[in-house]
Amino acid sequence: MKKELARTYDPKGIEDRLYQKWLDGGYFHAEVNKDKKPFTIVMPPPNITGQLHMGHALDNTMQDILIRWKRMQGYEALWQPGTDHAAIATEVKVTDHLRQQGIDKNEIGREKFLEYCWEWRKDYGSRIIKQLQKLGSSADWDRERFTMDEGCSDAVLEVFQRLYEKGYIYKGSKIINWCPVCQTTISDAEVEHQDQNGFFWHINYPVIGEEGRFVEIATTRPETMLGDTAVAVNPNDERYTDIVGKMLLLPLTGRQIPVIADEYVDMEFGTGCVKITPAHDPNDFEVGKRHDLPEINILNDDGTMNGLCGKYTGMDRYDARRQIVADLEELGLLVKVVPHTHAVGTHDRCHTTVEPMIKQQWFVAMEEMAKPAIEAIKNGDLTFVPERFDKIYLHWLTNIRDWCISRQLWWGHRIPAYYCGDCKRTIVSKKAPEKCPDCGQTHLVQDPDTLDTWFSSALWPFSTLGWPEKTPEMEYFYPTDVLVTGYDIIFFWVIRMVFSGYEQTGKSPFHHVLIHGLIRDELGRKMSKSLGNGIDPLEIINEYGADALRLTLMTGNAPGNDMRFTRSQVEASRNFANKIWNASRFIMMNLPDGEIRQPAPDELLVADRWILSRINTVTKEVTENLERYELGIAVSKIHDFLWDEFCDWYIEIAKMRFNKENADEASANAALWTLRTVLTQGLKLLHPYMPFVTEEIYCTLLPDEETIMTSPWPEYREELDFPKEAAMIESFKELVRGIRNLRMSMNVPAGTKTELFIVGKDAQSAAEFSAVLDSMKGIGRMLFAKKIEVRADAEGIDADAATVVTGRVTAYIPLNELVDKEKEIQRLSAESAKMDREIARAEGMLSNPNFVNKAPAAKVEAERGKLEKYRSIKNQVEEQLKRYR
RNA sequence: GGAAGGUUAGCUCAGCUGGGAGAGCAUUCGCUUGACGUGUGAAAGGUCGCAGGUUCGAGCCCUGUACCUUCCACCA
């Protein structure tokens, strides 16, 4: 019983049904299989707090395309999925959530809070996964992991201990970035520099012992003067040589601070005098170390002034700034206020201005670990697509500073460091020690801090495969093949995975990094929550289908480039799905109830060979494009082939062969066989991009097949290359277009059918064309002809007939009274003149010895071919003009 | 202050190793052709930012330049 398809493709219902079928079939699951080659992608784990956005949709579509393609190619294709605990993002969300219920995080305490977090993860952790599934993602959900599950946590502790023992993890008192709102440290990568309009406040510091003499400093953060412990000048600055070593009276505090000389000071900038606040500025910190200056922390963790700030104690940092400026003005020490734009460090998550502070924190020493990661690019173990991201990667790695990994958060991996309450010793151990190995006491307290969320995601490519255990999965699937991600997280994630991979496994965790850009809105703006301009992928899927969304995201998208998302593109994608659907529907409507025979080679007609040859070529090119990660180019080739060549030409040419009037069984069978073969192959090529519609058609078309998902990827076959037939069909298309244009220009009604005489430019062309036409039953309809006749010459054809000239043949169309001879002469003269120009151009090139000698032979040959064709057309046009005159 | 990317049709963008400028959308003019109007046939529309250079030949390579975007950056 033949199955039938609906009149238009409606993805609703079909998608969910097929996805469930795939899940039930276990097609997404990968196993260690020594008989197959592995292909592995680890999915960038979405946050458990996350909602699917266009970035996810793009990222996962690309991965799904690669995985589906490789799976069809016969690889054991593992797409390893999972979610990220997203330490700070989740903690903030849960805290807010609790606050709304009147629950204070600090009152309920750590344990209780973590319970709420786990509950949150239970409620929302699978939401994003379900959304990824709506997209059609064929990840191996049986292997879904979570950065805080048992295995991943074990990997984290293992790495911490190893790096600590190696001396690469250390605890130290350094300047860190502090977010007063989130009340935690953040890494350098999390600091966003924003240009802000501020001021330069010029302040006089009185020189002690020299009445009326001042040192004028300029600052953008006047409140930090409370923590000043020196003023620095350049040692070569003659203006200040005499006061170096003298003491200044720090206004508002009564403290005395020295004038020191340090190369760090730029003589040209500002007044040449710099206040030094070692506890609240990274540069000043370094200066302070060199000069052994005291470090005075003046801030509380919430950004208010601390107990060392006298009357300012307890004030918010900005209130204190205003008050201090006012007080200085009153004292007559404020020289001037100059507007000044400068880059301010802000927390990328909450956009609060970050305060540099000295704190005791845990760090990862980066210098040694960065080396193999740098080397990886240079020796080709790791490549970026596109390559230009090499530079960004290398620049960051070569300027890397130690990574501050401790966070004052509760949700995350707790640092496995324990402090002996008695002898103060620090013990780092995966397992909590029972007693202090030094003094034997049991008063051990674990460090309260947790690790930067990226510390665990840095291990993701191998922690998910069972590392540090020597699992078969590690052995087989690792290193992974390609990582797909956006350029915005190269620093956060890609780099940290690479150096962690080398350090822990001795290998780069992946060979290629395929970088994509951002999806922007129709106006080119970033999609963001605050702008409210985000387009919800789920809404698009609901309205147009997942296939349409996927195709839209891939069309015209070049690696690393941003793209705009427009509804008109989605509509075009949906239309394509419908086009394929209808072509398939048409083919299926015409399939016989019984079997289609595989035609004998000589039963395949010219057009059949042409389209088989074309899809053979397209298969080759598409595969090559995919190998180079040119996903956008590949899909446009599939799209153009299926729509323009297969639907608009081959189906039109072939359809007459199997209508009811055609009694030629062999011809009908060959046409149907070719249609089904080419469609099947086209569906396969398209499947990675548009999995749902292709699966639905494939399984209806071939009822014995279980799924297209695991069907073999088509391969190029040399014996299906038919260049001669391809050229013949191109010539036929040229004629059809010519006739259409002619009729259009003469306003011939579509219903008017004519006689059509075709004369070859030589005997061979005539014979070939004759063969082409013989192979096209009923093709007269396409040519608007009631009778077609191929002749040796134009003898006896009505001299008034209109003509269409192509490279190989001239068609004569007796249109009688419809022909305006003068207009025809005009038209043909114009054509003749055009050919003259083309001939001149080609002759010019070919008479240039430099071109003939230096250009590749194929190019020269092609040019000769063109010249010949133009000459032939020119001759035929001239012949025709003679007839008219 | 450094770096990367962009500048191609009205709009959004492709253009792979240099060899006669492409797509989608929009516009204009046709088509009840027995799969599809979510269709179909055509037309119009570009000095490929500007100036040099290399080359037989440049949208593509080199140099400079203008504008836009983004990233990095401890001049207080």
Side-chain angles (χ1 to χ4, degrees):
Chain A
M1 185 60 194
K2 244 182 342 189
K3 282 202 253 178
E4 282 191 21
L5 298 176
R7 189 177 169 84
T8 51
Y9 175 59
D10 180 10
K12 280 210 184 71
I14 292 180
E15 295 185 349
D16 288 343
R17 188 187 83 230
L18 291 179
Y19 200 84
Q20 192 56 47
K21 169 187 147 186
W22 293 334
L23 284 175
D24 294 343
Y27 306 137
F28 301 162
H29 185 67
E31 270 301 329
V32 172
N33 179 349
K34 299 289 182 202
D35 298 333
K36 285 183 170 185
K37 283 208 283 194
F39 181 86
T40 315
I41 297 179
V42 281
M43 178 187 289
N47 293 353
I48 51 171
T49 60
Q51 284 259 48
L52 190 76
H53 55 65
M54 279 298 170
H56 293 125
L58 173 64
D59 196 55
N60 285 280
T61 295
M62 290 172 77
Q63 294 173 70
D64 197 40
I65 288 165
L66 294 170
I67 275 289
R68 283 179 184 271
W69 165 54
K70 283 289 171 183
R71 191 183 288 124
M72 288 172 77
Q73 275 195 328
Y75 287 82
E76 188 69 22
L78 169 62
W79 187 9
Q80 169 64 54
T83 50
D84 192 291
H85 67 284
I88 192 166
T90 306
E91 180 141 342
V92 167
K93 271 237 162 91
V94 174
T95 304
D96 284 351
H97 180 70
L98 290 176
R99 189 181 300 133
Q100 279 164 18
Q101 300 170 32
I103 302 173
D104 179 25
K105 167 183 156 183
N106 289 305
E107 274 173 26
I108 59 173
R110 186 168 191 139
E111 295 303 317
K112 191 76 193 152
F113 179 77
L114 288 177
E115 279 174 30
Y116 279 114
C117 288
W118 281 105
E119 212 167 289
W120 176 280
R121 129 118 177 132
K122 210 174 92 217
D123 293 347
Y124 296 102
S126 58
R127 180 179 58 182
I128 185 93
I129 297 296
K130 294 219 173 68
Q131 294 173 334
L132 287 172
Q133 293 180 335
K134 292 293 275 186
L135 201 61
S137 308
S138 65
D140 187 351
W141 304 110
D142 300 346
R143 295 183 182 275
E144 186 187 332
R145 298 296 299 269
F146 177 52
T147 47
M148 276 175 71
D149 68 24
E150 206 181 322
C152 290
S153 299
D154 182 63
V156 165
L157 299 183
E158 175 75 24
V159 168
F160 191 96
Q161 185 173 337
R162 285 189 187 189
L163 293 181
Y164 179 77
E165 282 164 7
K166 211 168 168 180
Y168 286 0
I169 280 182
Y170 63 91
K171 194 176 190 184
S173 226
K174 305 196 358 172
I175 284 266
I176 47 81
N177 307 297
W178 183 261
C179 176
V181 167
C182 302
Q183 299 217 21
T184 178
T185 54
I186 55 175
S187 69
D188 293 342
E190 289 160 282
V191 178
E192 228 168 48
H193 290 91
Q194 277 178 5
D195 269 347
Q196 286 182 6
N197 294 322
F199 296 97
F200 250 145
W201 282 275
H202 289 248
I203 304 166
N204 271 341
Y205 286 5
V207 180
I208 293 173
E210 293 191 39
E211 193 65 29
R213 190 168 179 194
F214 300 95
V215 166
E216 184 183 327
I217 59 94
T219 179
T220 55
R221 297 186 296 158
E223 70 282 6
T224 62
M225 68 179 285
L226 301 179
D228 284 2
T229 52
V231 166
V233 297
N234 191 290
N236 303 317
D237 194 336
E238 291 172 4
R239 292 172 295 178
Y240 302 116
T241 320
D242 64 317
I243 56 165
V244 172
K246 293 219 160 114
M247 297 303 281
L248 306 173
L249 183 66
L250 184 63
L252 307 176
T253 66
R255 280 204 340 265
Q256 297 189 4
I257 57 173
V259 177
I260 59 169
D262 194 285
E263 297 280 355
Y264 154 69
V265 180
D266 180 353
M267 288 159 58
E268 311 297 320
F269 190 82
T271 60
C273 303
V274 186
K275 63 191 271 307
I276 301 295
T277 323
H280 295 290
D281 183 281
N283 295 311
D284 295 5
F285 179 77
E286 298 299 326
V287 174
K289 285 282 180 238
R290 286 198 285 275
H291 296 269
D292 208 16
L293 298 174
E295 295 158 354
I296 303 175
N297 186 344
I298 57 163
L299 287 173
N300 292 316
D301 287 351
D302 62 358
T304 59
M305 310 305 287
N306 70 15
L308 300 176
C309 297
K311 69 178 270 201
Y312 308 103
T313 297
M315 293 172 85
D316 175 80
R317 50 186 166 158
Y318 297 113
D319 293 336
R321 176 178 297 177
R322 275 184 286 275
Q323 190 60 52
I324 283 169
V325 169
D327 290 348
L328 286 169
E329 189 165 19
E330 200 165 306
L331 290 169
L333 295 172
L334 185 66
V335 181
K336 59 182 171 181
V337 184
V338 184
H340 177 67
T341 304
H342 61 134
V344 175
T346 61
H347 186 187
D348 62 358
R349 188 159 300 279
C350 65
H351 302 109
T352 307
T353 299
V354 164
E355 287 296 336
M357 276 196 210
I358 291 182
K359 274 188 182 282
Q360 176 131 120
Q361 297 293 326
W362 290 91
F363 296 88
V364 178
M366 288 312 311
E367 201 181 338
E368 283 306 312
M369 282 200 282
K371 285 178 184 169
I374 292 168
E375 190 54 30
I377 288 285
K378 297 186 172 163
N379 67 20
D381 281 355
L382 179 68
T383 57
F384 278 88
V385 181
E387 272 183 18
R388 63 173 185 270
F389 289 98
D390 287 7
K391 292 194 190 96
I392 295 174
Y393 170 97
L394 287 174
H395 180 259
W396 173 271
L397 268 178
T398 44
N399 294 292
I400 199 162
R401 298 196 299 178
D402 287 356
W403 176 17
C404 177
I405 49 169
S406 43
R407 295 289 178 276
Q408 289 63 52
L409 300 170
W410 288 343
W411 178 240
H413 302 94
R414 192 159 171 183
I415 290 177
Y418 302 85
Y419 307 110
C420 175
D422 295 319
C423 71
K424 305 296 175 202
R425 157 159 186 173
T426 299
I427 307 129
V428 166
S429 167
K430 270 176 86 171
K431 280 183 69 179
E434 282 172 14
K435 56 182 186 187
C436 176
D438 278 2
C439 65
Q441 293 301 309
T442 55
H443 304 134
L444 296 171
V445 182
Q446 184 173 5
D447 194 301
D449 288 354
T450 50
L451 288 164
D452 183 3
T453 202
W454 297 101
F455 192 92
S456 56
S457 25
L459 318 179
W460 190 244
F462 44 96
S463 64
T464 50
L465 295 174
W467 189 92
E469 301 297 318
K470 287 197 176 72
T471 60
E473 280 83 358
M474 258 313 273
E475 186 71 24
Y476 182 73
F477 289 113
Y478 188 86
T480 70
D481 291 88
V482 55
L483 180 85
V484 180
T485 194
Y487 57 69
D488 48 334
I489 58 170
I490 292 176
F491 305 135
F492 288 106
W493 193 42
V494 179
I495 281 177
R496 286 167 181 166
M497 281 192 285
V498 175
F499 71 68
S500 301
Y502 274 105
E503 177 63 26
Q504 305 307 332
T505 71
K507 292 173 186 163
S508 179
F510 27 75
H511 301 302
H512 307 285
V513 183
L514 177 54
I515 297 288
H516 62 248
L518 268 37
I519 309 286
R520 298 175 175 276
D521 72 0
E522 311 215 0
L523 300 173
R525 301 171 304 182
K526 258 187 204 176
M527 290 189 185
S528 74
K529 267 186 205 156
S530 51
L531 269 176
N533 63 339
I535 301 168
D536 182 359
L538 297 170
E539 216 174 90
I540 298 292
I541 290 174
N542 195 37
E543 203 173 329
Y544 300 96
D547 289 333
L549 172 64
R550 293 165 62 115
L551 181 61
T552 302
L553 291 170
M554 295 319 302
T555 302
N557 191 347
N561 287 3
D562 291 355
M563 72 177 295
R564 297 191 193 193
F565 190 92
T566 62
R567 280 189 185 256
S568 69
Q569 277 179 324
V570 187
E571 282 173 21
S573 302
R574 176 206 54 190
N575 295 353
F576 179 61
N578 189 56
K579 182 74 185 175
I580 299 307
W581 180 261
N582 268 290
S584 308
R585 187 164 77 98
F586 177 62
I587 292 167
M588 282 185 241
M589 275 166 38
N590 287 289
L591 287 179
D593 288 330
E595 284 293 289
I596 300 180
R597 269 187 310 113
Q598 157 111 31
D602 63 353
E603 285 181 310
L604 287 174
L605 306 182
V606 178
D608 306 333
R609 290 171 186 239
W610 161 68
I611 200 73
L612 287 166
S613 180
R614 281 295 303 138
I615 196 163
N616 194 36
T617 306
V618 169
T619 297
K620 183 179 173 197
E621 291 181 0
V622 163
T623 307
E624 284 167 0
N625 287 133
L626 287 173
E627 275 158 6
R628 291 197 290 265
Y629 298 111
E630 293 163 350
L631 308 190
I633 295 174
V635 79
S636 74
K637 284 182 183 167
I638 301 166
H639 173 279
D640 293 353
F641 169 78
L642 285 173
W643 198 318
D644 302 341
E645 297 192 272
F646 185 62
C647 291
D648 289 349
W649 284 101
Y650 183 72
I651 293 182
E652 291 306 318
I653 290 172
K655 62 169 44 160
M656 287 304 153
R657 279 161 55 190
F658 49 78
N659 72 5
K660 294 177 183 68
E661 297 98 72
N662 181 19
D664 185 342
E665 187 275 336
S667 163
N669 178 263
L672 288 167
W673 181 85
T674 307
L675 282 167
R676 197 181 61 181
T677 301
V678 175
L679 175 62
T680 303
Q681 191 160 335
L683 289 173
K684 289 182 176 202
L685 296 179
L686 186 59
H687 177 257
Y689 292 88
M690 304 182 85
F692 293 109
V693 70
T694 50
E695 172 79 330
E696 182 69 2
I697 296 169
Y698 185 85
C699 294
T700 314
L701 180 69
L702 306 168
D704 296 340
E705 293 285 313
E706 192 176 289
T707 176
I708 194 173
M709 265 195 68
T710 53
S711 70
W713 184 256
E715 280 178 29
Y716 173 78
R717 288 164 54 195
E718 207 171 343
E719 69 272 21
L720 286 177
D721 204 18
F722 300 115
K724 197 176 126 203
E725 281 85 348
M728 285 158 78
I729 293 294
E730 288 311 320
S731 175
F732 171 76
K733 285 161 73 174
E734 211 180 326
L735 177 69
V736 173
R737 288 197 189 104
I739 292 174
R740 281 173 184 160
N741 285 341
L742 176 77
R743 294 173 62 101
M744 178 84 84
S745 75
M746 292 167 69
N747 294 316
V748 183
T752 306
K753 306 288 189 245
T754 67
E755 292 184 302
L756 179 64
F757 300 101
I758 292 170
V759 177
K761 71 168 183 181
D762 52 37
Q764 197 199 337
S765 295
E768 278 182 12
F769 219 86
S770 207
V772 170
L773 291 174
D774 283 349
S775 76
M776 297 174 178
K777 280 271 157 46
I779 206 63
R781 201 168 59 95
M782 214 166 172
L783 299 164
F784 303 94
K786 55 189 176 198
K787 178 186 146 198
I788 307 173
E789 205 177 307
V790 179
R791 293 199 179 182
D793 52 46
E795 207 65 39
I797 299 173
D798 181 358
D800 289 343
T803 51
V804 174
V805 179
T806 72
R808 297 179 165 213
V809 297
T810 301
Y812 295 82
I813 308 169
L815 280 163
N816 306 322
E817 68 282 358
L818 285 170
V819 179
D820 177 334
K821 239 174 153 177
E822 284 310 308
K823 268 178 88 175
E824 273 300 276
I825 289 172
Q826 251 178 35
R827 189 175 65 84
L828 288 166
S829 303
E831 179 74 4
S832 176
K834 190 178 160 198
M835 285 307 118
D836 285 339
R837 288 194 300 274
E838 295 293 354
I839 290 166
R841 191 191 60 81
E843 281 179 344
M845 277 178 88
L846 287 165
S847 64
N848 179 346
N850 285 319
F851 174 70
V852 180
N853 296 331
K854 293 185 186 175
K859 298 287 176 198
V860 177
E861 221 23 71
E863 209 52 46
R864 289 215 172 94
K866 284 183 208 165
L867 178 58
E868 196 195 330
K869 176 178 169 187
Y870 297 138
R871 278 180 174 152
S872 158
I873 293 178
K874 163 85 180 168
N875 285 342
Q876 294 180 69
V877 168
E878 286 300 321
E879 280 300 309
Q880 184 56 24
L881 278 168
K882 264 188 234 157
R883 286 165 58 95
Y884 281 143
R885 283 175 180 138

